[in-house]
Amino acid sequence: MRFSVSVAGLLCGLQAATALRVGPRIAVEREEQVQAARVKRSLAKREDTDPTLLYPEYNISVPIDSFHNETRYEPHSNESFNLRYWFDDTYYKPGGPVFVLLGGETDGSDRLTFLQKGIVHQVIKATNGLGVILEHRYYGTSFPVPDLTTKNLRFLSTEQALADVDYFAKNVQFEGVDADLTAPNTPWVVYGGSYAGAQAAFLRVQYPETFWGAISSSGVTVAIYDYWQYFEPARLFGPPDCIKNTQLLIDVVDGILIRQNDTAKVQALKDVFGLSDITDNRDFANQLTGVYGLQSTNWDPELNSPSFFDYCQNITYVEQKAENLRPAVAELVSAAGYPNSTVVQDITLNAIAWINSTSLPGWRQSNRTQDSYFTTLNATSFQQYTSLEDYDLTSWSYQVCSEWGFIQTGNTPADIMPLISRTLDVDYLTFFCRAQFGIESPPDLWQVNKYGNRSIDYERLAFIGGNSDPWRPATPLWYPESRNSSTDHPWLLISHGVHHWEENGVFENQTTPDLPPPQVVYAQQFLKNFVVDWVEEFEQQKSHYEL
């Protein structure tokens, strides 16, 4: 299946972000995300951009419930549902592997470009393999239930999703391929990035007879409830001036909101930021979270978001744009513990200008109150997302609340200045769990961590990720800083890399001296080399047993 570059470019324009999801910060962002997703699905139906013109979609019937002995899935189901997948057999030759990219927490069609020019394309070309994109249950069109009410989300769990992949590998028949490629008769290698990277690692440990090898790219194999560590890579590897200025800004904000806790000063702080009518202090502090953008940086211009560097450029700006507010800012900065500090005043003025150019324009055009526009504490706005087309704002949120956690708080240890306000705590940031799903207790992290967490290890299980990835603290790559790598236990940190940077690629005739960057080229070649070795090892063992 070879496809034109021109059509591929159209598909790229529809590709969603591939990172582990950080939820919308305010109700308006949730509404905008739903509308954007619906527009995207509408565009996908146009003849010139339909991904099925590139790769036909297929479905396989899999069990809804693979764990009838587990009470948490009661009432159990004996039914099946369609799990969607795509494949590319362009380079397949007998003896080649099946290389599966797990779709993770998004529509599986968003991953189709990886068949054309990403890591799947590169591996199957190097190994004479067959490439697969496999959608995750409760995403895209792969739904085992008629709606996303809480009672119908009970089958959305880590172990049920892993069982789907195992069933798929043992039962799928690829249309037009005159060979039985089911596992374990064929070497199956599974790859995933981020949440799907954790899945890949878990599959190798849980179903070692099915999956010959697995590659966990930025795989978050340890579930953490209060995930303040999300900001540690930014603190350690981000632009020093941007990071230091952000820490000072947040210390001023917390100095007023927490240490002073004076009603008049709190109101004065909101006033200078143009956010006078936000009632809840946490909703106010939640607007000062520009460092979140690091996760969305990428070496590929088509996937890169400039938001992090735009924020850093603004917070380190040397010419002030809100000089008329300096007297009021100077008083607040002094009250927060920085008397006569023009440096901290300048940083605060920069932040005010940044808020005025990013957050406030949308509110001004909305004709809404600041409370209704900026709050995250509107239960009604969460409770409306129960139809299947709302999975963008429901499925991963449920997984967060039920098993995974990853609540990105400002709750750093006392000796670390945070990059977001300490008022942004677990209670505030889990409001949606209570409002949307009625989940009052912390997630059952054991359902994830039972597979091995940071200590997870197995023969032919690889770990790759960027050293600056905000999700690195939840991966085996966080500590130690380096370890010995081997063909059986590959391990690689991508220098200056962020979130599973080796997954995407460019067409071979469009490479430049800078794209992909050298460390990504190396990571992709490193990955291809050990997969080639794994396939050769499979053939050697197979020949040995046949003698």
Side-chain angles (χ1 to χ4, degrees):
M1 298 181 181
R2 297 183 183 273
F3 306 104
S4 71
V5 173
S6 60
V7 178
L10 293 171
L11 179 61
C12 274
L14 296 175
Q15 182 172 319
T18 60
L20 192 71
R21 297 183 173 202
V22 174
R25 291 185 295 113
I26 59 177
V28 170
E29 287 183 358
R30 291 194 297 275
E31 295 167 7
E32 291 174 348
Q33 183 172 318
V34 167
Q35 292 305 316
R38 289 174 181 170
V39 167
K40 177 196 153 197
R41 291 167 198 149
S42 175
L43 286 174
K45 295 177 182 178
R46 289 171 44 191
E47 185 176 357
D48 61 344
T49 60
D50 188 347
T52 62
L53 293 179
L54 305 176
Y55 297 97
E57 64 179 49
Y58 299 90
N59 287 281
I60 184 173
S61 181
V62 301
I64 291 176
D65 184 2
S66 296
F67 299 92
H68 284 258
N69 59 330
E70 295 287 345
T71 58
R72 65 183 178 136
Y73 301 120
E74 294 177 347
H76 292 286
S77 172
N78 294 314
E79 302 298 318
S80 298
F81 74 103
N82 282 337
L83 196 67
R84 188 166 59 154
Y85 67 97
W86 302 257
F87 71 92
D88 186 343
D89 63 349
T90 300
Y91 302 104
Y92 177 72
K93 294 180 181 179
V98 175
F99 189 80
V100 184
L101 187 143
L102 302 174
E105 71 284 18
T106 189
D107 187 312
S109 65
D110 293 339
R111 314 296 196 187
L112 289 179
T113 53
F114 301 138
L115 286 175
Q116 296 177 282
K117 58 178 182 175
I119 198 62
V120 183
H121 169 82
Q122 294 187 29
V123 169
I124 62 176
K125 185 176 180 180
T127 61
N128 295 320
L130 182 144
V132 179
I133 305 294
L134 181 62
E135 193 163 73
H136 192 293
R137 61 168 55 202
Y138 284 86
Y139 293 91
T141 66
S142 300
F143 294 100
V145 291
D147 61 50
L148 299 180
T149 52
T150 301
K151 65 182 177 63
N152 280 337
L153 289 166
R154 68 188 183 278
F155 298 115
L156 176 53
S157 70
T158 302
E159 63 184 6
Q160 294 279 11
L162 296 179
D164 289 344
V165 188
D166 179 64
Y167 185 94
F168 176 80
K170 291 176 177 176
N171 292 277
V172 68
Q173 298 294 320
F174 296 106
E175 183 178 298
V177 178
D178 187 20
D180 179 5
L181 298 184
T182 56
N185 302 313
T186 296
W188 280 63
V189 178
V190 62
Y191 173 99
S194 198
Y195 162 63
Q199 280 190 293
F202 298 164
L203 285 166
R204 181 68 180 119
V205 171
Q206 188 69 9
Y207 300 103
E209 300 302 319
T210 304
F211 301 99
W212 181 248
I215 303 162
S216 179
S217 178
S218 299
V220 287
T221 59
V222 52
I224 304 169
Y225 187 32
D226 184 345
Y227 188 45
W228 62 267
Q229 299 97 325
Y230 176 86
F231 301 100
E232 280 294 272
R235 183 178 72 87
L236 297 172
F237 300 105
D241 54 347
C242 173
I243 299 306
K244 185 61 178 178
N245 284 13
T246 300
Q247 289 177 313
L248 290 170
L249 167 67
I250 296 303
D251 198 51
V252 168
V253 171
D254 284 355
I256 301 299
L257 299 183
I258 300 175
R259 296 194 295 273
Q260 287 289 329
N261 194 25
D262 177 277
T263 302
K265 287 186 173 61
V266 169
Q267 187 59 52
L269 180 67
K270 295 176 183 178
D271 289 346
V272 296
F273 275 92
L275 298 170
S276 304
D277 297 324
I278 294 181
T279 303
D280 195 292
N281 293 344
R282 300 166 298 180
D283 282 339
F284 165 73
N286 200 30
Q287 307 315 306
L288 300 170
T289 53
V291 291
Y292 268 119
L294 174 61
Q295 175 176 328
S296 299
T297 58
N298 197 285
W299 62 267
D300 188 341
E302 291 186 357
L303 298 181
N304 180 60
S305 167
S307 64
F308 177 67
F309 293 104
D310 287 348
Y311 164 76
C312 284
Q313 185 177 34
N314 277 274
I315 204 68
T316 57
Y317 199 68
V318 294
E319 295 181 13
Q320 300 310 318
K321 297 181 180 180
E323 190 64 34
N324 61 306
L325 295 175
R326 186 175 292 276
V329 166
E331 185 175 341
L332 289 165
V333 165
S334 179
Y338 297 91
N340 303 315
S341 176
T342 55
V343 171
V344 180
Q345 292 172 24
D346 289 347
I347 294 168
T348 307
L349 289 167
N350 283 344
I352 291 169
W354 175 68
I355 287 290
N356 191 60
S357 65
T358 56
S359 297
L360 291 178
W363 163 69
R364 293 188 181 108
Q365 296 173 13
S366 71
N367 294 318
R368 298 169 65 164
T369 66
Q370 287 192 339
D371 266 344
S372 67
Y373 186 87
F374 290 112
T375 190
T376 67
L377 304 176
N378 184 335
T380 303
S381 72
F382 288 106
Q383 293 163 358
Q384 63 182 305
Y385 302 120
T386 58
S387 68
L388 296 184
E389 66 178 1
D390 294 331
Y391 71 85
D392 280 323
L393 293 173
T394 304
S395 296
W396 178 245
S397 295
Y398 178 78
Q399 291 186 262
V400 164
C401 298
S402 61
E403 292 185 346
W404 286 84
F406 292 142
I407 308 304
Q408 298 132 29
T409 73
N411 186 32
T412 64
D415 61 338
I416 297 178
M417 294 176 67
L419 292 173
I420 65 170
S421 172
R422 293 186 185 275
T423 64
L424 302 179
D425 57 15
V426 166
D427 180 70
Y428 173 74
L429 295 172
T430 57
F431 173 83
F432 74 98
C433 294
R434 301 184 291 276
Q436 189 168 3
F437 309 113
I439 297 177
E440 300 282 346
S441 57
D444 186 359
L445 303 181
W446 180 82
Q447 297 294 344
V448 174
N449 294 333
K450 65 184 179 182
Y451 298 107
N453 57 68
R454 284 196 193 94
S455 301
I456 190 169
D457 186 50
Y458 213 89
E459 185 181 20
R460 293 186 299 278
L461 171 55
F463 295 100
I464 299 177
N467 68 338
S468 303
D469 184 1
W471 295 100
R472 185 180 160 202
T475 78
L477 299 168
W478 185 233
Y479 182 84
E481 179 68 22
S482 63
R483 65 176 74 172
N484 292 327
S485 178
S486 66
T487 299
D488 282 343
H489 299 272
W491 189 95
L492 179 67
L493 270 180
I494 301 175
S495 180
H496 307 293
V498 189
H499 208 44
H500 49 94
W501 270 20
E502 85 291 343
E503 187 170 24
N504 56 295
V506 298
F507 290 104
E508 294 173 2
N509 64 346
Q510 294 180 340
T511 59
T512 72
D514 300 319
L515 294 176
Q519 68 269 40
V520 172
V521 173
Y522 177 86
Q524 292 172 339
Q525 188 61 53
F526 172 78
L527 188 157
K528 286 184 288 184
N529 286 348
F530 67 69
V531 173
V532 168
D533 290 340
W534 288 355
V535 174
E536 290 179 354
E537 183 180 351
F538 180 90
E539 289 303 316
Q540 290 169 2
Q541 290 196 17
K542 182 179 179 181
S543 298
H544 174 77
Y545 288 122
E546 289 176 350
L547 291 177

